[in-house]
Amino acid sequence: MQVLSVSKSPPLAGEAYIHGAKNGALPILAACVLCRTPCTIRNCPDIRDVAHTLSILRALGCTCVREGGTVTVTPCTCPACHIPQALAGSMRASILFLGALLARGQEASIALPGGCPIGKRPVDLHIGVLRALGAEVRAEDHQIVCRAGTLRGCRIELPIVSVGATEHAILAAVCARGCTEIRNAAREPEVADLARFLSACGADIKGAGTSVVRITGVPSLRGAEHTVLPDRIEAATYLCACAACGGQIVLRGTEGCSLEPVLHVLAACGCRVEQGRSSITCARTGPLIAPADVTTAPYPGFPTDAQAVVMAALLRARGACRFTETVFEHRFLHVPELCRLGAQISVHGRTACITGVPALHGAELHARDLRGGAALVLAALSAEGNSTVSGMNHIERGYDSFVPTLQALGAELKMVEKPDLL
Ligand code: EPZ
């Protein structure tokens, strides 16, 4: 079994290129099913979740070819309509294929989706959106089964802000008969990027990126070329690596990385952060000071996906601060592992209280989810001695070239064979 061996790193230095956003690429690739002609998706990250999505597209009869960061998807005339558990269960975004297939007038069925175990991750909003558009949806034997039929535009009021349900509604509505209005829509940049791709394919979408999205159905979509927006959470991760280890780094390819809440916290705790047109520079030479409390919220609030990595950067900050997680009910899986490094963190419901400690020490760590796993690596880079991190498969789901990127910045880490226990 391979684990990541991590040692205390010197201050980081150098440049890193930010890849295309995982949470941008996944819905866009699912949307390719809707198109009648080939799609070219550029800046597509080479990560496990994208590989799984391409496997789903191939299982549905599409042809997918990757050349470097560019993926070409050639849809088939009559896609298959079932996505088995082996593919659907590997990630959360697989559920979006339901709406894409239904929008083509197909019946569709999918095993319940997977995803990070950061909460119950229900799909009731997704099912509600499809039913509102007129689909007949049944949940049976851990599957969601939808009968074919013509979808009709309608007014959808999401009871809570949901990125996936917003994207699902957009995907299912673009070829529905009539107009659809989505209220209380998620405003994440990845939602707007999906809409940009679909508009290039001929969809009529207005207001994506705001809380009210209006869609006028069109008969069909053609293929298009699109460049996926940069991954703002990947950028946040490497900025936090610099905050944790010290030094100065420059991130390139970050144009459109909407990270103001994270940059504000990093600046408040002593980092010098400068945003250029397509770069972000971060420097930390002095001690970190605990910032004011952090509360996660849907965009444009503090991103829940950055909660773990920012926490990891603050474990040795002078003073104390609290992180309140309002989006997912179980997103502190990384806390017990961080405490094995000597961090002082107590969790009370959805709030984690961190008191800075003078030093952390090496430990054997296990990643349980994508962002929490990245946080363990960042914390271990700033701990005395050596640590190991297992469960790297979680990190490989969502970070392209995670280890080489950190190595290029001077971090001391490498994959090693972990001796099997007797
Ligand atoms: C997307 O997940 C992202 N994943 C997540 O990133 C991200 O943390 C999340 O949005 C919030 O920004 C992808 O885009 C692939 P939600 P999603 O629906 O769509 C509840 C990462 O690390 N809810 O916005 O699943 C849900 O339980 C991942 O990159 C329902 O109750 O998140 C949560 O409490 C992790 N019923 C809240 O809504 C539903 O049917 C927000 O979840 C759907 C969601």
Side-chain angles (χ1 to χ4, degrees):
M1 174 180 78
Q2 283 227 311
V3 298
L4 185 66
S5 171
V6 186
S7 305
K8 182 172 173 66
S9 285
L12 302 185
E15 297 194 350
Y17 183 83
I18 297 304
H19 300 89
K22 166 178 87 81
N23 295 344
L26 299 182
I28 286 170
L29 289 169
C32 290
V33 166
L34 268 168
C35 302
R36 306 287 178 179
T37 55
C39 301
T40 301
I41 311 301
R42 295 193 176 84
N43 205 27
C44 194
D46 190 1
I47 55 177
R48 283 175 186 260
D49 276 9
V50 166
H52 276 126
T53 302
L54 299 184
S55 298
I56 292 175
L57 286 166
R58 293 186 182 107
L60 293 175
C62 302
T63 304
C64 304
V65 177
R66 175 185 278 278
E67 290 175 81
T70 299
V71 169
T72 303
V73 179
T74 305
C76 63
T77 50
C78 180
C81 57
H82 174 65
I83 300 171
Q85 200 283 334
L87 291 174
S90 60
M91 58 184 191
R92 175 79 177 173
S94 52
I95 194 168
L96 298 177
F97 279 95
L98 275 180
L101 287 167
L102 285 173
R104 285 198 57 159
Q106 306 260 153
E107 65 178 31
S109 62
I110 185 170
L112 286 178
C116 290
I118 52 180
K120 292 192 293 290
R121 312 293 301 268
V123 294
D124 56 319
L125 299 182
H126 293 258
I127 292 174
V129 155
L130 298 179
R131 285 176 173 158
L133 287 162
E136 186 187 316
V137 186
R138 295 193 322 278
E140 59 186 40
D141 304 332
H142 302 290
Q143 303 226 22
I144 306 170
V145 181
C146 304
R147 288 178 59 82
T150 303
L151 299 180
R152 284 181 173 71
C154 65
R155 186 175 184 280
I156 296 169
E157 176 90 29
L158 290 172
I160 56 173
V161 174
S162 162
V163 172
T166 301
E167 293 169 341
H168 213 157
I170 291 171
L171 273 173
V174 287
C175 292
R177 283 212 188 129
C179 298
T180 298
E181 181 180 89
I182 308 165
R183 304 189 74 84
N184 200 25
R187 295 184 275 170
E188 272 69 2
E190 293 77 22
V191 174
D193 205 40
L194 170 64
R196 274 191 293 274
F197 168 65
L198 288 168
S199 299
C201 298
D204 182 347
I205 306 170
K206 293 182 178 61
T210 73
S211 58
V212 180
V213 182
R214 291 184 178 87
I215 300 135
T216 302
V218 296
S220 65
L221 296 184
R222 58 182 179 274
E225 300 194 3
H226 183 79
T227 299
V228 177
L229 82 170
D231 194 320
R232 57 196 171 98
I233 306 303
E234 182 189 30
T237 302
Y238 295 130
L239 293 173
C240 289
C242 180
C245 300
Q248 175 167 321
I249 66 168
V250 181
L251 303 184
R252 300 285 182 196
T254 60
E255 186 170 4
C257 261
S258 316
L259 268 179
E260 282 64 27
V262 174
L263 302 184
H264 175 75
V265 169
L266 291 177
C269 59
C271 297
R272 181 169 49 78
V273 181
E274 289 166 13
Q275 226 174 332
R277 195 178 64 78
S278 60
S279 66
I280 302 175
T281 299
C282 180
R284 201 268 289 171
T285 49
L288 286 173
I289 313 297
D293 292 349
V294 174
T295 300
T296 67
Y299 190 87
F302 187 96
T304 174
D305 293 347
Q307 175 253 108
V309 291
V310 172
M311 183 187 292
L314 297 177
L315 300 176
R316 295 184 300 139
R318 287 180 187 159
C321 66
R322 288 179 301 188
F323 281 73
T324 299
E325 174 57 63
T326 70
V327 178
F328 290 104
E329 66 272 28
H330 197 44
R331 200 166 198 174
F332 289 137
L333 293 172
H334 46 284
V335 169
E337 296 296 310
L338 293 175
C339 291
R340 291 165 62 83
L341 289 166
Q344 197 171 327
I345 310 172
S346 59
V347 174
H348 311 278
R350 288 200 174 198
T351 296
C353 305
I354 295 98
T355 302
V357 293
L360 299 170
H361 54 73
E364 283 196 15
L365 306 170
H366 181 67
R368 287 174 169 74
D369 67 276
L370 165 58
R371 308 300 178 185
L376 301 186
V377 176
L378 301 192
L381 286 171
S382 67
E384 303 300 329
N386 185 275
S387 302
T388 59
V389 180
S390 57
M392 288 300 291
N393 55 300
H394 290 288
I395 296 174
E396 290 158 1
R397 282 189 50 212
Y399 288 95
D400 188 337
S401 313
F402 183 66
V403 174
T405 299
L406 285 169
Q407 288 171 333
L409 293 172
E412 306 263 344
L413 74 175
K414 61 183 176 185
M415 293 301 291
V416 297
E417 279 303 320
K418 180 179 172 72
D420 289 334
L421 299 176
L422 295 176

